[in-house]
Amino acid sequence: MDDGLEIRLEPSLDIDDAFSDSQDFDSDYQFSPDSIRHDLARNSLSWRVEDDEDLKPRNGFSEATMDSSSTLDLHSDQPSEEDNPSSLQFVSIPLSNSHDGFSNNSEQHQEDPPDVTDTETPYPAVVIDVSSHKITISTDHAQISSPPPSTSIQSHSRSTSTAKSDYSDHSTKSLPAPEPSSVMPTHSNSATSTSTSVLPSPTTTAAVTASVSETTSVPSSTLKPSSPTHRITRSVGPSALEKFVNKTRPSFLPPKSRQEDDKHMADWETMMKQSRAAAEKRRKALQQRRLTREKKIEESLHLWEKEIVPDWRVVQKNPQLRKLWWKGIPTKLRASMWERAVGNPLALSKDHFRSCNFRAKRALNSGAFSAATLSKIEDDIASTLPSLHIFHHETGPLYADLKDMLCAWVVARADEGLGYTIGAAKVAAMFLINMPIQQAFVVMRNLLERHCLRSFFGGSGAKEDVEAYYRIFETLLADGMPKIYFNFKQHQVSPASYLPDWFVPLFLDHLPFEACARIWDVLLLEGDSFLYRAALGILGVLEPRLFFPDRHELLQLLKGENKAAIDVATREGRPLDGGKYEIYGLDEETLWERIDSMDEWWKESTWNRLTRRELPDL
């Protein structure tokens, strides 16, 4: 081999005798792997290096004294053959670890960095000839042009080449060359290698020597220290996902165990199932009571036709007939009763809608109709009674009538310098459901001319009147519901935060349709005073929910957008496209129970006194 270094050893242990055929197996000496290792360790001091001259670096590597111990094939079933000289050879493959190997010149590494583009670092081939006691270390100069200073060959390998091979005469197998990823940089000046040596068979000795001498091309740019690997241990307790899904434990307490959490989650699911069943049972009972009430109203039709239809003003004098009106007008008579209760103070003719509609069509065709006003009308129609689907812009049968009615209403108000008010589509829709469009237009115009509603639909010109109505409502709220009044004062919630949303659409956005229709029956009869009584009744139903520590949450509840209530309604399967306050359990029955309970403190004289004080010109 090229550039070999010979080191002569004088062993004190006769290896030939240790594997001789003439060994006495009947002696007291116990031949076992443990005894051989013990004997080798005891005589290891007798081995010495004959030539102890200073080591000089060769090819960038230092050739160090090698304190190598050979691991023999102690489990072989066949004895060695003395007549075969090749069986007396050992093959040693030193593989340096991160602390062993050959030193390099650190100064050369700093001054002359090598070109690592095409550098290939071979493993040195080591052959031990036992017969001549000679160790030869060789490298292939043809593979490298200059030694890479930042790399060394890893020579620390596991002693895993135990004699369990399925082939060869001595059941031996040499270790394969290490992977390029095991090459790590080092700057040590000496190395102590612990190699694994086996007795190769005659047919494989040359092949093993050649395979060890092969070079492995590893670019130095890819040589990175291997990070230590650790076994991943699972932390004690529930995982982050388990903590996230833990819904039955307060956040300030430690998480539960898996068994306890599963049990409580099962209990929670059972309770939610029972809650949904109870809610469905209550809903069916409420529906049944409503149908029974409507049936009684329809059965009173003959009394209406006999007592009220001839002269509706009789209800103002007869308390029994007035009470009958408060229970609701039969559907068949609702159009005529509403028209009579509202009256015609504007003295509008039956052709009033036809003339206003003609002017609106002409303005739309000529482009004189305001595009902003038309956009407001479209948006307002889109949010009108979405649960009924009769005003949908594509499939709704009453969509065209509602749009024509609103455009005609805008033209009629234009003479007074008033524009469109968001919420008017709800009022027009309620009239269209109960009567023809010509009749609905006249009744709507007369109703919105009542002073309270005219103030809320009058725009900025009626701001002072609107403020006066706010003060009237606050006085009534303080007298009848002082707790709610002081709670609103504490959170700085004024009537302007919620009253316009109730009064302009006449509660149609927030209440169920049946409850709203019954309120309209009484509102058209009693006038503006019942508008305030209905608003106070709504606050009475919502009272248990109004005491929030946060103003933002309180305003969200008044707008019908409380997240917790929406989640509960969704879980119970209740529809969310009806009145906004349906998520709070507000229905016709609960609202009217609250309104009827206000008879103890509500007085019409108080309303008249407050209006005269706040609106002296009325």
Side-chain angles (χ1 to χ4, degrees):
M1 298 182 184
D2 297 339
D3 198 9
L5 174 64
E6 296 183 359
I7 304 176
R8 295 183 177 275
L9 307 176
E10 293 183 1
S12 61
L13 177 64
D14 192 353
I15 300 178
D16 290 338
D17 292 339
F19 292 92
S20 176
D21 292 335
S22 62
Q23 184 177 359
D24 188 6
F25 293 95
D26 296 332
S27 61
D28 295 336
Y29 181 80
Q30 184 68 26
F31 183 78
S32 64
D34 294 335
S35 61
I36 293 297
R37 295 189 187 96
H38 178 69
D39 203 5
L40 288 173
R42 184 179 58 188
N43 296 277
S44 61
L45 297 177
S46 61
W47 294 71
R48 65 180 183 272
V49 181
E50 183 174 310
D51 191 2
D52 194 19
E53 62 181 8
D54 295 337
L55 299 178
K56 299 180 180 180
R58 297 174 179 268
N59 296 328
F61 299 94
S62 296
E63 297 178 355
T65 303
M66 302 181 63
D67 297 334
S68 62
S69 60
S70 301
T71 302
L72 305 180
D73 187 4
L74 304 178
H75 300 282
S76 176
D77 296 334
Q78 297 180 3
S80 61
E81 299 178 2
E82 293 183 15
D83 53 353
N84 192 351
S86 62
S87 65
L88 300 178
Q89 296 180 353
F90 293 86
V91 178
S92 176
I93 308 173
L95 303 175
S96 63
N97 58 8
S98 60
H99 300 289
D100 303 334
F102 302 98
S103 64
N104 55 7
N105 195 337
S106 61
E107 297 180 357
Q108 181 182 357
H109 171 67
Q110 296 177 359
E111 296 176 0
D112 299 321
D115 186 5
V116 296
T117 303
D118 297 323
T119 304
E120 296 182 354
T121 305
Y123 288 109
V126 180
V127 179
I128 303 175
D129 190 353
V130 178
S131 60
S132 60
H133 308 293
K134 184 184 300 182
I135 299 177
T136 305
I137 302 175
S138 66
T139 56
D140 189 0
H141 293 280
Q143 299 295 331
I144 54 175
S145 59
S146 62
S150 61
T151 59
S152 64
I153 307 301
Q154 181 178 355
S155 63
H156 177 70
S157 62
R158 300 178 183 176
S159 300
T160 55
S161 61
T162 55
K164 295 183 181 179
S165 175
D166 297 335
Y167 55 90
S168 78
D169 296 339
H170 300 285
S171 301
T172 60
K173 185 178 180 181
S174 62
L175 288 175
E179 295 295 330
S181 61
S182 63
V183 180
M184 300 180 64
T186 183
H187 295 281
S188 59
N189 294 326
S190 61
T192 303
S193 65
T194 304
S195 61
T196 302
S197 302
V198 295
L199 292 175
S201 61
T203 59
T204 60
T205 303
V208 169
T209 305
S211 65
V212 173
S213 301
E214 291 178 359
T215 60
T216 304
S217 176
V218 182
S220 61
S221 60
T222 60
L223 301 180
K224 299 180 179 179
S226 60
S227 59
T229 58
H230 302 282
R231 180 181 178 182
I232 300 177
T233 58
R234 180 182 174 132
S235 60
V236 180
S239 63
L241 178 61
E242 293 168 355
K243 293 179 182 179
F244 176 76
V245 301
N246 194 334
K247 303 175 183 177
T248 60
R249 190 76 161 183
S251 59
F252 54 83
L253 293 178
K256 304 175 185 177
S257 62
R258 181 185 294 272
Q259 293 77 11
E260 184 181 7
D261 189 59
D262 292 343
K263 177 181 179 299
H264 289 182
M265 286 297 295
D267 295 341
W268 183 79
E269 290 291 346
T270 302
M271 289 188 294
M272 291 299 102
K273 184 177 180 180
Q274 295 175 354
S275 176
R276 288 190 292 268
E280 182 65 18
K281 185 177 180 180
R282 289 193 301 269
R283 188 188 65 81
K284 290 182 178 180
L286 178 63
Q287 182 73 8
Q288 185 64 33
R289 290 193 298 270
R290 186 178 67 82
L291 293 177
T292 302
R293 185 169 54 253
E294 291 180 354
K295 184 178 180 180
K296 289 182 179 180
I297 293 174
E298 297 299 329
E299 290 176 353
S300 65
L301 180 61
H302 69 283
L303 185 59
W304 278 84
E305 292 177 347
K306 180 181 179 180
E307 300 291 341
I308 302 176
V309 171
D311 186 5
W312 71 274
R313 286 184 293 267
V314 71
V315 298
Q316 304 288 354
K317 303 174 183 179
N318 192 335
Q320 296 297 328
L321 296 179
R322 189 186 190 98
K323 186 177 181 180
L324 182 64
W325 188 299
W326 275 53
K327 290 182 179 179
I329 302 174
T331 306
K332 181 180 179 180
L333 301 176
R334 182 163 281 165
S336 61
M337 291 297 101
W338 280 7
E339 183 181 16
R340 295 183 184 185
V342 173
N344 190 10
L346 297 179
L348 302 177
S349 64
K350 295 181 179 179
D351 295 334
H352 181 64
F353 169 73
R354 186 180 295 110
S355 62
C356 292
N357 187 38
F358 176 78
R359 291 169 56 191
K361 294 288 186 182
R362 186 172 58 185
L364 288 171
N365 294 332
S366 63
F369 201 93
S370 174
T373 301
L374 189 61
S375 177
K376 288 182 180 179
I377 292 175
E378 293 288 352
D379 295 340
D380 203 11
I381 294 175
S383 61
T384 299
L385 297 174
S387 60
L388 298 182
H389 306 288
I390 59 177
F391 300 107
H392 193 270
H393 69 283
E394 293 180 355
T395 59
L398 295 180
Y399 167 76
D401 289 345
L402 180 58
K403 184 176 180 180
D404 291 343
M405 186 174 174
L406 293 176
C407 291
W409 182 69
V410 170
V411 171
R413 283 164 54 92
D415 298 337
E416 304 176 21
L418 300 176
Y420 185 80
T421 302
I422 297 295
K426 281 76 175 178
V427 179
M430 180 63 91
F431 283 119
L432 279 177
I433 292 174
N434 292 278
M435 59 187 67
I437 185 171
Q438 294 85 357
Q439 184 182 2
F441 184 76
V442 173
V443 176
M444 176 180 174
R445 285 219 59 195
N446 283 281
L447 175 64
L448 297 185
E449 285 299 319
R450 290 183 177 180
H451 192 269
C452 182
L453 293 177
R454 179 178 174 84
S455 300
F456 282 93
F457 279 88
S460 59
K463 183 177 180 181
E464 293 182 0
D465 292 344
V466 172
E467 293 293 337
Y469 280 110
Y470 288 161
R471 290 192 297 270
I472 293 174
F473 185 82
E474 281 193 319
T475 303
L476 294 173
L477 182 62
D479 291 343
M481 303 175 183
K483 292 183 179 179
I484 299 178
Y485 171 78
F486 286 112
N487 182 47
F488 283 176
K489 282 296 183 181
Q490 183 181 1
H491 291 88
Q492 299 179 353
V493 176
S494 66
S497 303
Y498 52 92
L499 276 188
D501 296 337
W502 293 353
F503 286 176
V504 172
L506 292 179
F507 307 107
L508 203 62
D509 270 346
H510 297 79
L511 300 182
F513 182 79
E514 297 82 7
C516 193
R518 189 175 175 183
I519 286 179
W520 276 49
D521 291 341
V522 183
L523 174 63
L524 300 184
L525 174 67
E526 300 294 343
D528 295 340
S529 62
F530 189 79
L531 194 64
Y532 279 73
R533 187 168 179 176
L536 292 173
I538 293 174
L539 289 179
V541 177
L542 299 179
E543 182 176 4
R545 302 173 178 266
L546 295 178
F547 297 94
F548 282 98
D550 183 54
R551 180 177 183 272
H552 178 68
E553 289 185 77
L554 180 57
L555 292 177
Q556 277 191 329
L557 184 135
L558 292 174
K559 292 179 180 179
E561 300 174 355
N562 183 259
K563 185 178 182 302
I566 293 175
D567 292 342
V568 172
T570 304
R571 184 173 67 242
E572 294 180 353
R574 285 182 285 171
L576 301 178
D577 56 353
K580 294 181 179 180
Y581 288 170
E582 290 188 56
I583 61 176
Y584 305 138
L586 195 154
D587 49 48
E588 179 186 355
E589 184 177 3
T590 57
L591 176 60
W592 279 93
E593 286 179 358
R594 188 68 184 185
I595 292 175
D596 291 338
S597 67
M598 294 168 60
D599 289 337
E600 299 178 359
W601 59 272
W602 177 268
K603 297 183 184 302
E604 287 293 328
S605 60
T606 304
W607 163 260
N608 294 329
R609 177 176 54 84
L610 291 174
T611 53
R612 284 194 301 267
R613 185 187 70 182
E614 299 294 339
L615 299 167
D617 297 334
L618 184 59

